[in-house]
Amino acid sequence: MRRNGRSMLAAGLAIMVSAGMLSGPAIAKDKVNLVLNWTPGADHAPIFFALEQGYYDKAGIDLTVESGKGSAMSAQTVGAGASPMGIAEMGTAFVANSKGADLVAVMAIYANSPFVLYWKKSSGIAGPKDFAGRTLGNPPADAARVMWPAFAQAVGLADGAVNFVNLAPQAKMPTMVAGRVDIISDFYNGHDLKIRELGDDLGFIRWSGVGINPYGNSIIVNRDYLMKNPDVVRNFVKVTQQAYASCVADHKPCIAALMKRASGLEERAMMDQWGRVKELMADPYTTGTALGGFDKGRMAATYDLVKTYFSIEKPFDPQSAYTNEFLSTDVKMTAQ
């Protein structure tokens, strides 16, 4: 999109919130806590951009953003009502729903699965057939660990084929480089950093490449909170959807807002990450119907994935676990 288009997107969001086009009280602020899936990264930059610009505030929302400790943890937190909203990988959120959580997805951030497994070719691993008996490092609540049985079956690995090692997110790459674990799971948005670190020695496989492609990170809401506060959720989604569209058009102010509000980040890495995030955001539905929207068939497939590989303690209709009603079809993702 040309610069004029970027300016129009940003101006449109500013006009929308300042002119009262979002429903809800103009003066009284609704306090909302959003728990992230992990610590802040480029995929969260639009949220910090909207905060920086005061768009949530103008929409009547006093937003607090809380760092997370994995999709499983954020899904549990929102499911229990400890936080009204959060971000979690969709397959993991469905697993939580199957165990009794009551979550509703209201916007997809990643229309594609971000899961990637990385290793060093020099370790003797050429692909998944060489994973047996190896160590795989990630945090206990990592979405890829939760969904591991699906990947293992897809590539023909037996249960218990790999030995999991608990690692903090920031320790994954240095631990693998040092040879203390053989494989790590990570998100595709950090792909460029790994290329710079390992070059031709980098081996990897994307889960989507073996047919495991559930929706990735999505904004989830506690159902009881949604039923009691539909206008708050509507306002939040409208601001957030437009913020992501604005950042797709011009990412620089969004990364700047992220760098200002989150410590310990490297600007070049965040710029690279955002390029990968845009790839993950784009699919036929988000480019043709609405940025952040969920396709009925793919959500059913995500549910079938959970049903196939996990014990469904509380069956549910996948159509009841998401909604597109708060998204504007006037805001579409740019094809990548």
Side-chain angles (χ1 to χ4, degrees):
M1 186 176 291
R2 299 181 185 277
R3 188 171 183 82
N4 287 343
R6 296 196 294 264
S7 300
M8 288 174 65
L9 277 170
L13 178 55
I15 291 171
M16 183 172 66
V17 295
S18 63
M21 292 173 67
L22 300 178
S23 57
I27 299 175
K29 301 293 190 295
D30 292 289
K31 293 184 178 295
V32 175
N33 187 74
L34 175 76
V35 59
L36 303 179
N37 53 307
W38 283 125
T39 54
D43 50 344
H44 310 121
I47 295 169
F48 290 101
F49 169 71
L51 272 171
E52 184 79 11
Q53 297 298 314
Y55 295 150
Y56 290 115
D57 186 70
K58 292 173 185 175
I61 297 172
D62 180 7
L63 181 67
T64 299
V65 179
E66 177 186 347
S67 292
K69 296 181 179 179
S71 285
M73 188 64 70
S74 60
Q76 292 170 16
T77 300
V78 176
S83 178
M85 299 185 192
I87 296 177
E89 185 272 331
M90 202 64 248
T92 303
F94 271 14
V95 171
N97 267 353
S98 77
K99 295 181 178 180
D102 206 358
L103 308 170
V104 181
V106 294
M107 177 180 162
I109 298 174
Y110 292 163
N112 299 288
S113 173
F115 297 160
V116 188
L117 294 173
Y118 292 98
W119 62 87
K120 293 191 296 183
K121 294 177 182 177
S122 57
S123 69
I125 298 174
K129 61 180 175 54
D130 300 318
F131 285 1
R134 300 283 189 156
T135 52
L136 196 163
N138 55 19
D142 189 271
R145 187 180 294 195
V146 175
M147 298 298 292
W148 169 259
F151 177 87
Q153 185 164 328
V155 298
L157 289 172
D159 290 342
V162 301
N163 300 307
F164 288 105
V165 176
N166 295 338
L167 293 177
Q170 63 271 21
K172 289 180 182 180
M173 189 64 179
T175 304
M176 185 183 74
V177 170
R180 291 194 290 272
V181 296
D182 300 308
I183 312 156
I184 59 171
S185 68
D186 216 338
F187 276 13
Y188 182 62
N189 57 5
H191 192 69
D192 297 277
L193 179 63
K194 295 170 181 62
I195 291 174
R196 291 201 299 270
E197 180 76 22
L198 290 176
D200 292 339
D201 194 29
L202 180 67
F204 68 94
I205 185 168
R206 294 183 65 178
W207 288 35
S208 57
V210 296
I212 306 297
N213 193 31
Y215 275 99
N217 289 358
S218 302
I219 295 172
I220 55 173
V221 181
N222 177 275
R223 186 182 301 276
D224 185 60
Y225 181 87
L226 174 59
M227 297 298 291
K228 293 176 180 177
N229 302 277
D231 285 341
V232 178
V233 177
R234 185 181 307 278
N235 291 346
F236 177 86
V237 172
K238 283 187 175 180
V239 169
T240 305
Q241 183 193 24
Q242 185 64 71
Y244 272 85
S246 296
C247 294
V248 167
D250 185 2
H251 64 282
K252 291 182 180 179
C254 303
I255 298 300
L258 171 68
M259 298 297 295
K260 183 176 179 180
R261 288 178 172 261
S263 62
L265 301 178
E266 196 267 314
E267 185 175 17
R268 179 186 175 186
M270 293 302 102
M271 293 288 191
D272 288 341
Q273 278 194 21
W274 180 250
R276 302 294 182 176
V277 168
K278 289 194 297 182
E279 292 181 49
L280 293 168
M281 289 173 63
D283 79 342
Y285 194 90
T286 62
T287 59
T289 303
L291 185 153
F294 297 99
D295 175 75
K296 179 180 178 180
R298 285 199 59 211
M299 285 299 268
T302 300
Y303 179 79
D304 288 342
L305 183 73
V306 172
K307 186 171 65 174
T308 299
Y309 297 109
F310 298 90
S311 175
I312 300 293
E313 299 175 19
K314 181 184 177 183
F316 61 93
D317 180 355
Q319 292 188 56
S320 70
Y322 73 97
T323 180
N324 289 323
E325 70 170 291
F326 303 122
L327 296 165
S328 171
T329 54
D330 291 332
V331 181
K332 294 179 173 61
M333 179 58 192
T334 304
Q336 298 297 301

